[in-house]
């Protein structure tokens, strides 16, 4: 059989099972053997019946000692019978599966895996996994470490396990090893064949770890190598626009309300370099919260417009879009540049006019939410696409906007601090600029983690800040409908409480994700004009919002947020000249939680916070795993496998240094595989 054969070719797979497998994303035999277990159960141990613990899954080796009987209970059919070993006996029952009667034979030996329960005054095992043991001396082939697979309803572990085992036997000889022999030796990896065996049916933990390491290494290796090849492709093929830099730039810079920091200037030089070059810019601008990314976007837009092109800036929330729009419009208009705003709440009539004006170049810059990517938005002279806070956008969305122009320059702004090992993978194709300096005069935010007993003191402190003319954010976690709301501070209820019980004389507003965008904008605008002094909100304000007069942020149930998110939230204050404060409230006694909140007290450096969070919490949580837009990993974990990733990066570099085009015979297999991958859409989408 071939790896590319359909699963329907496999014995035991009919239409029904086939459909279920396809639901799991398994179409071919290759998919099947790459359907890795999600966990393992160690079933090597066999426990005598008398020694079994109740309600714990375990293996027992028993002989059937009563003829299986069918009974009816209500409209349910039961099959039950008694089994014994040398130490004791129990009942076994199956529900709704009359055929089980024929699967167990008096006097024969079976290995059962299940939980023993106390039921109706006797011991019983319900619906165990079972296996007939013809030769008890060969128990080792039955009682073993057992893989548990991701599955859908109604496709039992037993069936899927059996299919995978069968499939492995059929196709393992077909499996080619993509990794060159030299690398396998150098990194002490096991063969691909051995790795596949070991990941599905490990003999012991060492066997598993070796198998996993090999597969993780290969997955990261192929990804990294493909990205490098793509990047090389980009650099040579994607000729873009070579912009001229306007003589008005000086006057424009002088008109800004502040002078750029050294870091902003450096990043601007890097961007200008890209713009002048005939290649398309593809640059990530990374800068901690408050480092001043917006102005970088604005200057870049100014440059392309003055060179006769149009520019688009996309941001993830309407609140943020409106804020950018106002800032950009304010500084562009004196230079005769028209700026348009497109969001979900733009009316049909406004939209018609706006789209017409963009089409005829009367409007040169458009700022919007993902409404920008709709098909009817035509930007004929699109020369620069900027997305803000990119981790909120799918890669596809970004591409769709880019495709409105003819190879426009692309710039992505993010505040997400990316640990070094990851940057190469995540943004392997992009050039990276880092704004590593905050605007002058900023005082570090003072952060305190406290428990809720401190509320009265915090409230008094907030009152004082407001009397001094400042403003305050209060953050409650998002309330999901399914959740018990009692233990959480619901935004609306909490606001009501604050209004009536705590701050009766202070104007308070609230904001949450379920409000209409228009309403949200209005509330943000009022807060920005300081008409309201306290804004109670869910994390909808997390990204980008800029109200420099706000100096205190109180975060309730702080344990519920990731550190990167807390850092983003905290970044809403400390944006002006006044000393700012962040108060994290949590009653959690959990040790890790306490440590995490302590990091927030000790550091205001996004990098330090991100790396510590990674260490403490491990994968996924730090930026939602899906947000980076890479092809989904089958086995590697970009966070916990950072060490292997480091090895892989060194390995790939060495390889390409020796054989940049993978032309050597020993790298033949590798080249073929990489070329196949480069044609896969998923990889392109990752960029
Ligand atoms: P972020 O990088 O978080 O998007 P913003 O672009 O919103 O940051 O800038 C944060 C605040 O700092 C804004 O009020 C902005 O006007 C101000 N700012 C940006 N650059 C400078 C600078 N060079 N000097 C003084 N203030 C600046
Ligand atoms: Mg921003």
């Amino acid at each position: 059989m071939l790896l590319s054969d359909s699963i329907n070719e496999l014995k035991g797979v009919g239409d029904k099972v086939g459909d279920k497998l396809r639901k799991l994303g398994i179409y071919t035999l290759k998919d099947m053997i790459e359907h890795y277990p999600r966990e393992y159960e160690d079933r090597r141990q066999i426990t005598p019946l008398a020694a079994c613990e109740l309600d714990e899954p375990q293996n027992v080796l028993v002989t059937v000692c009563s003829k299986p009987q069918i009974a009816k209970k209500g409209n349910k059919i039961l099959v039950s019978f008694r089994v014994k070993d040398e130490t004791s006996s129990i009942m076994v029952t199956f529900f709704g599966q009359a055929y089980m009667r024929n699967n167990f034979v008096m006097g024969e030996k079976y290995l059962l895996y299940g939980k023993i329960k106390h039921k109706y005054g006797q011991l019983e095992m319900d619906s165990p996994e079972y296996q007939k043991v013809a030769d008890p001396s060969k128990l080792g082939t039955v009682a073993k470490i057992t893989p548990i697979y991701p599955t859908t309803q109604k496709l039992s572990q037993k069936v899927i396990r059996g299919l995978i085992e069968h499939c492995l036997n059929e196709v393992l000889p077909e499996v080619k090893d993509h990794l060159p022999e030299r690398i396998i030796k150098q990194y002490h990896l096991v063969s691909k064949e051995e790795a596949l065996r070991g990941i599905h049916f490990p003999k012991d933990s060492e066997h598993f770890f070796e198998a996993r390491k090999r597969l993780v290494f290969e997955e990261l290796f192929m990804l990294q190598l493909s990205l490098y090849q793509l990047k090389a492709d980009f650099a040579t093929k994607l000729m873009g626009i070579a912009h001229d830099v306007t003589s008005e730039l000086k006057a424009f810079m002088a008109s800004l309300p502040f002078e750029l920091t050294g870091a902003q200037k450096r990043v601007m030089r890097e961007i200008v370099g890209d713009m002048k070059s005939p290649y398309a810019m593809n640059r990530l601008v990374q800068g901690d919260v408050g480092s001043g990314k917006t102005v970088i976007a604005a200057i870049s837009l100014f440059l392309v417009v003055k060179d006769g092109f149009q520019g688009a800036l996309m941001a993830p929330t309407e609140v943020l879009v409106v804020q950018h729009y106002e800032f950009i419009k304010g500084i562009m208009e004196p230079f005769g540049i028209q700026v348009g705003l497109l969001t979900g709440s733009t009316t049909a009539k406004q939209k018609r006019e706006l789209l017409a004006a963009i089409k005829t170049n009367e409007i040169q810059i458009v700022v919007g939410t993902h409404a920008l990517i709709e098909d009817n938005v035509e930007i004929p002279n699109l020369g620069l696409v900027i997305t803000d806070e990119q981790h909120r956008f799918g890669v596809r969305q970004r591409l769709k906007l880019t495709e409105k122009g003819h190879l426009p320059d692309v710039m992505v702004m993010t505040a997400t601090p990316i640990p070094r090992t990851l940057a190469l993978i995540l943004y392997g194709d992009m050039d990276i600029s880092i704004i590593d300096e905050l605007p002058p005069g900023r005082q570090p935010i003072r952060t305190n983690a406290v428990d809720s007993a401190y509320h009265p003191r915090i409230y008094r402190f907030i009152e004082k800040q407001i009397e001094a003319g400042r403003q305050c954010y209060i953050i409650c976690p998002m309330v999901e409908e399914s959740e018990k709301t009692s233990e959480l501070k619901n935004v609306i209820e909490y606001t009501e409480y604050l209004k009536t019980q705590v701050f009766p004389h202070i104007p308070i507003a609230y904001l949450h994700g379920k409000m209409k965008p228009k309403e949200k904008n209005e509330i943000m605008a009022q807060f920005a004009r300081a008409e309201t002094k306290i804004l109670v909100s869910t994390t909808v304000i997390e990204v980008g919002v800029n109200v420099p007069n706000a100096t205190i942020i109180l975060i309730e149930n702080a344990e519920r947020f990731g550190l990167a998110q807390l850092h983003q939230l905290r970044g809403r204050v400390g944006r002006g000249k006044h000393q700012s404060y962040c108060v994290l409230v949590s009653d959690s006694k959990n040790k890790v939680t306490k440590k995490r909140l302590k990091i927030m007290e000790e550091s205001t450096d996004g990098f330090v916070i991100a790396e510590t969070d990674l260490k403490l919490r491990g994968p996924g949580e730090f930026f939602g795993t899906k947000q980076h837009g890479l092809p989904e990993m089958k086995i590697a974990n970009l966070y916990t496998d950072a060490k292997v990733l480091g090895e892989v990066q060194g390995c790939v570099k060495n390889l390409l240094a020796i054989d940049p085009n993978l032309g050597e015979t020993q790298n033949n297999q590798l080249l073929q595989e990489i070329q196949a991958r480069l044609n896969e859409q998923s990889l392109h989408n990752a960029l």
Side-chain angles (χ1 to χ4, degrees), residues 289-290 292-294 320 323-324 388-389 413 415 543-546 572 575:
V289 279
K293 294 183 288 293
T294 318
L320 198 52
Q323 180 183 295
H324 284 334
D388 187 14
E389 313 289 353
M413 304 193 292
V543 277
V545 165
N546 186 39
R572 294 318 104 210
R575 303 188 140 241

Side-chain angles (χ1 to χ4, degrees), residues 126-157:
D126 290 343
S127 310
E129 282 195 42
Y130 63 95
Q131 198 145 20
K132 194 164 165 191
V133 181
D135 180 358
S137 69
K138 286 197 184 128
L139 257 181
T141 59
V142 181
K144 50 192 177 186
I145 298 176
T146 306
I148 307 293
Y149 292 96
T151 186
T152 61
Q153 272 186 339
K154 305 234 170 92
L155 188 62
S156 73
Q157 287 297 333

Side-chain angles (χ1 to χ4, degrees), residues 257-261 264 287-296 323-324 327 388-389 413 415 435 438-440 442 544-548 571-572 575-576:
F258 42 73
E259 189 179 339
L260 294 192
T261 62
Q264 284 170 321
D288 212 341
V289 279
S291 60
K293 294 183 288 293
T294 318
V295 70
I296 298 292
Q323 180 183 295
H324 284 334
F327 173 71
D388 187 14
E389 313 289 353
M413 304 193 292
I435 313 180
L438 293 180
R442 297 275 175 83
V545 165
N546 186 39
V547 178
R572 294 318 104 210
R575 303 188 140 241

Side-chain angles (χ1 to χ4, degrees), residues 69-356:
Q69 301 288 337
I70 288 204
K72 263 196 157 179
K73 197 168 187 194
N75 51 10
K76 252 193 188 164
I77 288 180
L78 312 181
V79 172
S80 24
F81 50 92
R82 183 162 282 279
V83 299
K84 62 166 195 194
D85 66 4
E86 285 90 47
T87 65
S88 184
S89 79
I90 58 169
M91 289 303 288
V92 172
T93 304
F94 289 91
F95 301 88
Q97 295 164 292
Y99 61 88
M100 284 296 177
R101 184 179 38 162
N102 307 321
N103 290 2
F104 291 88
V105 179
M106 273 270 276
E108 297 281 356
K109 270 197 158 56
Y110 295 83
L111 187 72
L112 306 180
Y113 182 80
K115 292 179 188 171
I116 297 178
K117 290 193 167 101
H118 211 95
K119 226 169 155 182
Y120 311 117
Q122 58 181 350
L123 294 175
E124 179 173 313
M125 194 183 254
D126 290 343
S127 310
E129 282 195 42
Y130 63 95
Q131 198 145 20
K132 194 164 165 191
V133 181
D135 180 358
S137 69
K138 286 197 184 128
L139 257 181
T141 59
V142 181
K144 50 192 177 186
I145 298 176
T146 306
I148 307 293
Y149 292 96
T151 186
T152 61
Q153 272 186 339
K154 305 234 170 92
L155 188 62
S156 73
Q157 287 297 333
K158 191 171 169 149
V159 168
I160 196 164
R161 199 182 302 141
L163 287 173
I164 287 178
E165 191 166 12
H166 176 51
C167 186
L168 279 178
N169 290 338
E170 290 286 334
V171 299
L172 267 187
E174 294 290 320
V175 174
K176 288 186 201 134
D177 208 325
H178 304 305
L179 291 183
E181 195 55 43
R182 193 164 32 98
I183 291 178
I184 294 182
K185 282 223 179 80
Q186 190 186 344
Y187 291 88
H188 308 291
L189 303 172
V190 299
S191 72
K192 179 77 179 255
E193 201 179 321
E194 198 46 42
L196 283 168
R197 236 191 276 283
I199 202 72
H200 288 290
F201 301 104
K203 292 201 261 307
D204 49 35
S205 57
E206 196 185 341
H207 192 204
F208 162 75
F209 283 119
E210 281 184 341
R212 185 173 187 283
K213 155 122 197 223
R214 151 74 209 225
L215 295 172
V216 166
F217 190 99
E218 178 178 336
E219 184 166 43
L220 293 174
F221 180 86
M222 297 309 269
L223 176 65
Q224 183 76 77
L225 191 57
S226 315
L227 288 171
Y228 272 127
Q229 297 295 103
L230 263 190
K231 185 167 175 160
D233 265 14
F234 271 128
T236 50
K237 286 196 196 120
L238 287 187
M239 298 300 281
I241 307 159
H243 293 287
D244 287 331
V245 173
T246 169
S247 56
E248 282 180 83
L249 182 59
K250 250 198 163 138
F252 182 69
M253 300 285 267
S255 79
L256 294 175
F258 42 73
E259 189 179 339
L260 294 192
T261 62
Q264 284 170 321
K265 283 183 188 157
R266 174 174 41 77
V267 169
M268 241 5 268
R269 274 197 299 275
E270 289 163 357
I271 292 170
V272 167
D274 287 353
M275 288 189 163
K276 285 183 180 166
S277 111
Y279 303 117
M281 166 162 82
N282 190 20
R283 187 168 287 277
L284 178 77
V285 175
Q286 189 192 320
D288 212 341
V289 279
S291 60
K293 294 183 288 293
T294 318
V295 70
I296 298 292
I299 300 168
S300 311
L301 287 166
F302 179 82
L303 287 173
V304 288
V305 172
K306 285 295 171 186
D307 191 39
F309 288 88
Q310 290 172 298
L313 169 60
M314 181 160 74
T317 67
E318 195 158 332
V319 164
L320 198 52
V321 165
V322 170
Q323 180 183 295
H324 284 334
Y325 168 72
E326 271 160 10
F327 173 71
I328 290 175
K329 190 170 129 119
I331 57 177
M332 296 292 174
E333 276 182 346
F335 291 83
I337 296 173
Q338 297 305 313
V339 185
L341 170 71
L342 181 63
T343 70
S345 37
T346 309
T347 64
K349 178 162 174 280
Q350 287 169 335
K351 190 169 168 183
R352 255 197 319 277
E353 289 167 7
L354 177 75
L355 293 187

